Amino acid sequence: DGDNSTDHSMVGTGRLRKITIGMLPKWLCGTIWNKTGSPVRGVILQSLICCILVLFDFEFLLQATVLINCVTWCIEMISFLRLRYTEPNTLRPYKVPGGMFIAWLITIDKCILVLILFILVI
């Protein structure tokens, strides 16, 4: 398809995932297992993380997952604003109506909500 990356399938957490090796850091890819096309170091790292996470109770894992997702959501909203400034003329399938005022309002609203949830959980 024109780029130098290769698509590989990797089985993880019970479902088949499609990854592009060029997306992962080179140190994590290392050797590719010929039978499955999975990066061996990545699978070992994921296995070690799962072995450690098994030691925690479900409530802690649930709270940690929610907090990580909330932080990711804030980063997405800030990236949304940044792109509105750095690439305003890029064609997009959907553009938030209301201009920059609404874009800022949505971003600030979501970040405040995440901050409140973060304070309530801790």
Side-chain angles (χ1 to χ4, degrees):
D1 60 332
D3 62 355
N4 293 328
S5 59
T6 307
D7 284 340
H8 292 279
S9 295
M10 181 173 79
V11 176
T13 62
R15 60 181 178 247
L16 188 64
R17 293 185 185 173
K18 192 90 166 170
I19 63 166
T20 303
I21 294 300
M23 293 174 60
L24 296 174
K26 293 202 183 294
W27 66 267
L28 190 57
C29 291
T31 306
I32 303 297
W33 189 9
N34 291 332
K35 185 175 179 180
T36 61
S38 301
V40 175
R41 290 181 194 161
V43 172
I44 291 172
L45 179 64
Q46 180 181 8
S47 299
L48 289 173
I49 291 170
C50 288
C51 288
I52 293 168
L53 291 176
V54 164
L55 302 173
F56 295 98
D57 65 332
F58 180 74
E59 185 178 340
F60 172 80
L61 293 174
L62 185 63
Q63 289 176 351
T65 301
V66 169
L67 289 176
I68 290 169
N69 285 332
C70 286
V71 169
T72 307
W73 196 20
C74 282
I75 292 170
E76 286 179 27
M77 297 305 294
I78 292 167
S79 299
F80 158 70
L81 270 182
R82 183 178 182 277
L83 283 174
R84 292 291 293 269
Y85 280 104
T86 59
E87 299 179 25
N89 298 324
T90 302
L91 292 176
R92 294 178 173 85
Y94 178 78
K95 191 169 183 178
V96 176
M100 290 305 291
F101 175 75
I102 298 298
W104 273 99
L105 184 66
I106 290 170
T107 302
I108 291 171
D109 179 42
K110 301 306 178 212
C111 288
I112 288 172
L113 177 64
V114 167
L115 182 62
I116 291 170
L117 291 173
F118 186 76
I119 291 170
L120 289 176
V121 170
I122 292 180

